[in-house]
Amino acid sequence: MNLQSNLKTKVWIYGIMVLISLIFTTQQAADYRIYVAAGRVMVDEKANPFLDEDMIETEPDGKITPHAQYRYAPIFGIALYPISLLPKQVYIFLWLFFNVFLLYKSVLLFREFFSELKSDTKLFGITAIVTLVLGIRFWGQNLQLGQTTILLVFLSVYALHLSRKNKPVLAGLMLALAIVTKIMPLLLIGYFIYRKDFKTPIFTIIFTVLLVYLPALIVGFDYNNFLIQEWYNIINPANKEYTLETKTGIYNLSAFIFAYFTEMPDDKITGNRNILSLSYEVAGILTNIIRGALILFTLYFVRSLPFKAAKSSVHVFWEFGYICLAFPLVFPAQNKYSFYYILPALFFIAYYMVKRYKTEGGLRGIPMKILVPMGLYFIITTLTSSNIIGKYWYDQTQFYKVITFGIIALIVAYAQLKPSMLNTHQPENNQ
């Protein structure tokens, strides 16, 4: 009977995954099509996908399609080349289904850090649903645009899980795959070193170098070196586009500070939003100070000197959740979809809230210090979709970087949680 029930559950889950993938296939996954086109440009044309003018894709049916600039590691686009030979709607569906599958597997992976959730299927199921509802704006945005953040989060947390299982070779490979997809997870090397895992970073570096130079076997050593240099020119944090981010859809710390403390214009919307008129230089210094403070705030979560292992798997997940949460704020050029990185933090909060709701008799059992900022987070980040408030007001939320306020509210809630608070018998102060 249990076997039959599990089979039915899996059929339902995979059916929902296929349905979600089919729904989002109609959105055409624009960014994923850029990655596929870049593979064709590099393999077939030996052109430069990091230039707008070279991103002209010749599809298998002979159709010529211009695309936006490619911004990922050369190996990522080249690895997708075989997929590009499939019909467009087929490879778009496959990419979306792969991402929905990774979203599902990520939530299952989160459970591995909590012994109670591994034994209590119902509690885990409700926690998973609450997590997905809280993060729907961001995982939906990733599917709509065909982005890579779902893959990055899975690989990052899987590397952490493998490291905890004393499998540094596989952990290093997973983290290397994340880094060559998008450079952001590179900072996690520092985390592993801090937590006295020196083997995972070593294997990460080895695999990253191998993966970066692997395309030379396909496109040639000289051309691959050229692509690596062009890629570095794109991701170099000293680029002017990362210091003065005027794009409407950018929500990281740099864009937020410059929007509210300088007279920097928006690239699409006109209006006044700045509360101060600092120079760009002063605003840049202020941004770096706050960016440094966010990074140093990691010490609040790790709660130990360097080169010491974490106290428990729950503590590991809690501190890792904050690191992931801070990523989109600290790094330049982060759009809405980048905030999918908050999913581990949302899972931790969801687990806590579901437990409190269950054991303390409803919403009243959840402290207001958690409930209020989480309510603000959800309203600001999720209920401000253009499908809900209309295009005009949605444009205003972009102009005023409203989503960043929601992430700040989430940090306020998350910082007040502690691993010990997941124990329902643990007394809580200042509720």
Side-chain angles (χ1 to χ4, degrees), residues 85-245:
L85 303 177
L86 297 171
K88 184 185 296 182
Q89 294 306 312
V90 173
Y91 70 62
I92 289 174
F93 169 79
L94 289 175
W95 173 254
L96 292 173
F97 181 78
F98 177 61
N99 275 268
V100 176
F101 175 75
L102 286 182
L103 173 59
Y104 166 63
K105 294 298 285 186
S106 294
V107 176
L108 291 178
L109 186 58
F110 297 165
R111 179 178 61 177
E112 294 301 309
F113 292 84
F114 304 90
S115 57
E116 182 181 24
L117 293 180
K118 287 194 282 186
S119 60
D120 192 331
T121 305
K122 185 177 180 182
L123 180 60
F124 167 68
I126 298 172
T127 299
I129 291 170
V130 173
T131 301
L132 294 176
V133 170
L134 289 173
I136 190 169
R137 178 79 178 275
F138 303 118
W139 61 259
Q141 186 82 10
N142 273 271
L143 294 177
Q144 182 181 3
L145 295 178
Q147 265 292 327
T148 60
T149 324
I150 292 175
L151 172 63
L152 295 177
V153 171
F154 174 78
L155 290 172
S156 299
V157 180
Y158 194 30
L160 177 67
H161 175 67
L162 290 168
S163 170
R164 294 280 300 174
K165 295 290 184 182
N166 198 26
K167 297 179 179 179
V169 178
L170 284 176
L173 177 59
M174 294 303 110
L175 190 53
L177 287 170
I179 291 168
V180 297
T181 301
K182 203 168 187 178
I183 200 70
M184 224 170 6
L186 181 68
L187 286 188
L188 295 178
I189 288 176
Y191 168 77
F192 285 112
I193 293 173
Y194 195 97
R195 277 306 185 196
K196 202 182 177 181
D197 177 357
F198 305 112
K199 292 181 181 179
T200 295
I202 290 171
F203 285 111
T204 298
I205 294 168
I206 292 170
F207 282 123
T208 300
V209 172
L210 288 174
L211 289 169
V212 167
Y213 283 97
L214 187 62
L217 299 175
I218 300 170
V219 298
F221 189 77
D222 291 339
Y223 178 58
N224 188 56
N225 279 347
F226 166 76
L227 291 173
I228 293 169
Q229 183 59 48
E230 292 296 301
W231 174 47
Y232 174 76
N233 292 339
I234 290 289
I235 64 174
N236 184 353
N239 287 345
K240 185 178 179 181
E241 64 175 302
Y242 299 142
T243 55
L244 295 176
E245 297 181 289

Side-chain angles (χ1 to χ4, degrees), residues 41-42 66 79 132 158 163 178 191 209 236 284 307 312 317 342 368:
V41 167
M42 287 184 281
L132 294 176
Y158 194 30
S163 170
Y191 168 77
V209 172
N236 184 353
F307 317 129
S312 66
F317 192 88
I342 69 176
M368 293 300 289

